[in-house]
């Protein structure tokens, strides 16, 4: 088996790649209209209730419909998973690793198809859609290699007369509760890591992206992951998600999503029910209110480029996105003067078009939330830029980028995650004041600094309270194995997806001590 290497991203500046992807998009657009039932033990299960998944650029275009799992399906899926658990845990790690390798190979072949579906189901521009699928390939491959390493156990002290071993056993039934904003990458990361470590998995996708999830689960089954080891259970978070988290047979909850839901999961997990035979474990990754601090000596070209990518990539709907821009007073006016036209030049359109910089927001609620916040900001602070409505497509959940200045640092706009293309600007008198302001939120996911001063970069390394700190580069786009990803403070538990410690969350260490002195020959 080969060592892990990141999969290269597509190069859409190459016209042949552009032409091929455009034709895949057209093909997938024609195929839309799928039905995705629950899949329990490999069998499709229809529940009588369907949830439509729509194209956010054309909400009348139904990408597909997913079944809404009820408590019966939750119960059946967990029972099925439980029956497979011991067998999967005993399956040699090499076999599990081979299955993930085969899944990665299949996803490489179907990469453009999945990326095209991401454009249509969640409104990702081409590059973002490709990167999402590439991340999934990387996760499959990274955790495949990680599981083989984990299975070696760790060395412990040996003494004459005893043999000591230290290894890891899987936790059991794992509920993977995924967000819509990386509908392939994050879902693949959580599911493949849990499977690689020997857990049986129930996938509960987000309401907005169940079709991509259903095809990913199918791909894993086709790659050889046994049907009873992996179940697909689309449904509402408040129903299906909650039922999985509360069920006493689920040992491990892997969740990526909002702070409110993540904290509620931690509360549930912290209160074992009387029927529970173990302490549940939760891997919880949540939101961010990420800041970029621009120092007085920063390279403005680099800083503006980095802000555009970090704040407006995928319409600001990345947990890592920059939503606060903290600028030294010496540079503030010059930066603003250049940032406004740069933002105004971003193209907001249907992401099916290769020229798209910003596509639609994910759904009508997101559009209402973001437009209301921008309108309120315009009334109470200085709105430096907001997209004129006539520049937005008439149909779809489009919102366009916005820049707000003189925002009250204690206001919800400055403190709470909005999850859209809105940036609050702040003027500070020193780099230290900028860092203090950057740290002044409950979140701690990503952060960035543009500075040419080695001492200021060192100050940021020492005191910027984030899980992922980026110096003189954009703060989004972490790569598996290179920038292990995950937040601090109320952004997460410190488990780093795509990092060397991640699999440790998904197993329980086991110590075995054997007396190796001879006690005579046993009688037959
Ligand atoms: P969300 O919290 O609304 O939903 C996430 C998942 O949880 C969905 O599958 C949903 O159905 C489910 N869910 C909802 N209520 C539930 C409940 N009571 N019990 C169990 N499950 C429930 O988040 P979202 O809108 O899908 O995703 C966006 C959020 O995810 C943002 O806050 C973003 O910052 C965060 N995010 C974080 C990371 C990270 O790595 N830290 C990565 C991506 C997204």
């Amino acid at each position: 088996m080969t060592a892990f290497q990141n999969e290269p991203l597509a190069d859409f500046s190459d016209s042949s790649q552009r032409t091929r992807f455009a034709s895949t998009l057209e093909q997938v657009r024609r195929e839309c209209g799928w039905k995705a039932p629950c899949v329990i033990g490999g069998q499709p299960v229809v529940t009588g209730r369907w949830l439509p998944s729509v194209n956010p650029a054309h909400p009348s275009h139904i990408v597909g419909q997913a079944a809404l799992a009820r408590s019966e399906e939750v119960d059946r899926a967990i029972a099925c998973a439980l029956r497979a658990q011991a067998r999967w845990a005993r399956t040699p790690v090499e076999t599990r690793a081979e299955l993930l390798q085969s899944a990665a190979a299949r996803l490489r072949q179907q990469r453009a198809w999945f990326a095209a579906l991401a454009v249509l189901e969640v409104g990702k521009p081409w590059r973002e859609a490709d990167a999402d699928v590439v991340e999934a390939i990387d996760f499959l491959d990274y955790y495949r290699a990680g599981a083989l390493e984990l299975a070696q156990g760790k060395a412990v002290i040996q003494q004459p007369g005893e043999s000591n071993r230290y290894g890891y056993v899987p936790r059991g039934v794992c509920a993977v509760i995924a967000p819509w904003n990386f509908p392939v990458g994050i879902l693949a990361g959580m599911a493949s890591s849990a499977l690689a470590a020997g857990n049986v998995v129930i996938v509960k996708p987000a309401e907005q992206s169940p079709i991509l999830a259903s095809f990913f689960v199918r791909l894993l089954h086709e790659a050889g992951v046994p049907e009873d080891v992996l179940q697909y259970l689309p449904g509402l978070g408040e129903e299906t998600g909650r039922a999985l988290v509360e069920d006493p047979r689920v040992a491990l909850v892997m969740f990526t999503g909002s702070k409110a839901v993540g904290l509620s999961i931690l509360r549930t997990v912290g209160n074992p029910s009387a029927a529970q035979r173990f302490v549940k474990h939760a891997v919880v990754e949540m939101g961010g209110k990420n800041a970029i601090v621009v120092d007085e000596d920063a390279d403005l070209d680099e800083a503006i480029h980095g802000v555009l990518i970090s704040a407006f990539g995928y319409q600001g709907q990345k947990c890592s996105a920059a939503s606060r821009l903290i600028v030294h007073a010496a540079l503030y006016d010059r930066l603003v003067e250049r940032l406004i036209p740069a933002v105004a030049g971003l193209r907001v359109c249907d992401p099916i078009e290769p020229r798209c910089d910003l596509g639609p927001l994910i759904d009508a609620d997101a559009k209402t939330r973001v437009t209301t916040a921008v309108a309120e900001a315009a009334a109470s602070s200085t709105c430096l830029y907001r997209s004129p409505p006539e520049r937005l497509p008439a149909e779809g959940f489009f919102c366009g980028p916005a820049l707000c200045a003189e925002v009250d640092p204690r206001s919800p706009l400055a403190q709470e995650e909005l999850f859209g293309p809105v940036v609050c600007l702040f003027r500070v008198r020193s780099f230290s004041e900028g860092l203090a302001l950057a740290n002044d939120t409950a979140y701690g996911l990503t952060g960035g600094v543009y500075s040419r001063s080695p001492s200021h970069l060192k100050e940021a390394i020492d005191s910027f309270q984030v899980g992922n700190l980026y110096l003189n580069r954009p703060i989004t786009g972490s790569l598996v194995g290179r920038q292990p990803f995950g937040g601090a403070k109320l952004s997460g538990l410190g488990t780093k997806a795509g990092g060397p410690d991640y699999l440790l969350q998904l197993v329980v260490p086991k110590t075995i001590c054997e007396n190796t002195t001879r006690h005579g020959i046993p009688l037959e």
Side-chain angles (χ1 to χ4, degrees):
M1 292 217 183
T2 50
F4 171 76
Q5 277 191 335
N6 293 104
E7 190 76 10
L9 295 167
D11 176 9
F12 292 121
S13 67
D14 171 351
S15 67
S16 64
Q17 292 201 29
R18 265 201 318 277
T19 311
R20 267 204 309 278
F21 191 66
S23 90
T24 309
L25 261 171
E26 189 41 41
Q27 176 205 331
V28 176
R29 207 176 58 78
R30 282 197 306 269
E31 288 173 28
C32 279
W34 295 280
K35 285 220 161 169
C38 304
V39 181
I40 301 174
Q43 296 307 310
V45 178
V46 172
T47 65
R49 295 191 305 162
W50 294 99
L51 178 72
S53 174
V54 304
N55 177 344
H58 301 284
S60 56
H61 180 216
I62 309 279
V63 173
Q65 295 189 67
L68 285 172
R70 301 159 301 182
S71 52
E72 296 101 285
E73 285 76 45
V74 173
D75 183 56
R76 278 176 63 187
I78 296 174
C80 177
L82 264 180
R83 287 194 293 276
Q85 183 193 328
R87 194 188 80 244
W88 184 242
R90 279 197 303 269
T91 300
V93 65
E94 291 78 10
T95 308
R96 299 199 300 257
E98 270 164 26
L99 297 180
L100 293 190
Q101 190 171 36
S102 151
R106 278 167 188 266
L107 193 52
R108 264 183 212 106
Q109 281 164 4
Q110 299 173 36
R111 165 178 170 171
W113 191 91
F114 270 90
L117 183 51
V119 173
L120 297 170
E121 191 174 29
V122 296
K124 289 206 169 197
W126 290 21
R127 282 193 183 82
E128 306 283 354
D130 175 65
D132 191 15
V133 182
V134 162
E135 185 175 49
I137 297 170
D138 279 356
F139 275 134
L140 286 163
D141 210 24
Y142 185 80
Y143 293 132
R144 178 236 358 127
L148 291 170
E149 200 181 314
L150 189 75
Q152 307 296 314
K154 292 269 162 66
V156 284
I157 295 171
Q158 305 294 338
Q159 287 290 342
E162 68 180 23
S163 151
N164 294 318
R165 278 173 283 162
Y166 186 85
Y168 302 97
V169 293
R171 287 184 178 271
V173 178
C174 168
V176 164
I177 301 180
W180 50 265
N181 70 332
F182 283 89
V184 193
I186 289 184
L187 188 139
M190 293 196 289
S192 63
S193 56
L195 289 168
N199 301 287
V200 285
V201 169
I202 299 168
V203 165
K204 197 321 253 156
E207 288 86 333
Q208 298 89 339
S209 55
I211 304 301
L212 278 160
S214 75
F215 280 108
F216 182 71
V217 168
R218 183 191 289 185
L219 179 139
L220 286 176
H221 283 148
E222 285 169 358
V225 174
E227 291 177 334
D228 53 355
V229 162
L230 174 67
Q231 333 283 330
Y232 169 70
L233 223 51
L236 301 177
E238 273 298 325
E239 289 179 17
T240 314
R242 182 189 285 273
L244 285 167
V245 173
E246 287 177 353
D247 195 285
R249 294 165 294 177
V250 170
L252 172 63
V253 178
M254 297 183 76
F255 168 83
T256 306
S258 63
K259 175 168 70 111
V261 177
L263 294 181
S264 80
I265 289 175
L266 287 174
R267 279 192 292 274
T268 306
V269 165
N271 278 307
S273 75
Q276 229 168 279
R277 294 291 182 85
F278 41 72
V279 179
K280 280 180 199 259
H281 189 77
V283 175
V284 168
E285 293 301 324
M286 300 174 281
K289 190 73 192 175
N290 311 305
I292 293 180
V293 181
V294 182
D295 201 359
E296 62 181 322
D297 64 354
D299 179 326
L300 257 191
D301 290 335
E302 265 189 2
I304 287 176
H305 176 70
V307 169
L308 291 181
I309 292 177
S310 309
F312 303 117
Y314 190 32
Q315 297 86 264
Q317 299 177 117
K318 298 183 188 181
C319 52
S320 52
S323 54
R324 295 182 298 145
L325 181 57
I326 301 169
V327 188
H328 195 288
L331 206 69
Y332 185 93
D333 292 334
R334 272 193 294 146
L335 180 139
V336 165
E337 195 186 327
R338 289 180 52 186
L339 185 61
I340 293 174
V343 172
L346 294 172
R347 282 161 306 223
V348 184
C349 63
D350 187 340
I352 205 159
E353 295 183 41
R355 69 187 180 103
C356 170
D357 290 314
L358 276 83
L361 297 186
I362 188 67
D363 55 22
D365 285 352
K367 181 175 172 176
T368 306
R369 192 180 64 241
V370 173
T371 24
T372 308
V374 172
E376 284 172 8
S380 63
S381 64
T382 307
C383 191
L384 295 175
Y385 179 79
R386 64 204 275 208
S387 300
E390 64 276 12
R391 286 196 55 200
L392 301 177
E395 199 197 349
F397 307 127
F398 290 90
C399 186
L403 297 172
C404 307
E406 292 168 33
V407 176
D408 174 0
R410 309 296 328 151
S411 66
L413 187 61
Q415 290 288 329
E416 286 305 322
E417 186 182 48
L418 186 58
F419 226 51
V422 181
V423 174
C424 303
L425 282 92
F426 304 90
R427 189 195 297 259
V428 288
R429 283 156 303 178
S430 70
F431 184 71
S432 300
E433 186 188 331
L435 275 185
L437 185 56
N439 283 334
D440 186 20
T441 76
Y443 293 101
L445 189 45
T446 63
V449 168
Y450 282 89
S451 173
R452 287 191 252 222
S453 155
S455 69
H456 284 176
L457 294 178
K458 164 97 173 56
E459 192 181 336
I461 291 168
D462 291 344
S463 62
F464 207 150
Q465 297 157 0
V466 289
N468 283 59
L469 175 63
Y470 297 98
L471 306 177
N472 292 313
R473 55 148 281 171
I475 67 172
T476 54
S478 64
L479 291 174
V480 172
R482 274 169 68 180
Q483 293 94 26
F485 187 81
K489 295 167 75 180
L490 286 183
S491 288
L493 296 183
T495 53
K496 288 271 191 271
D501 302 327
Y502 192 72
L503 291 179
L504 290 174
Q505 309 299 316
L506 318 179
V507 289
V508 182
K510 187 166 182 176
T511 300
I512 298 150
C513 173
E514 185 177 354
N515 178 354
T516 54
T517 53
R518 292 183 65 109
H519 293 284
I521 299 166
L523 297 172
E524 285 296 317

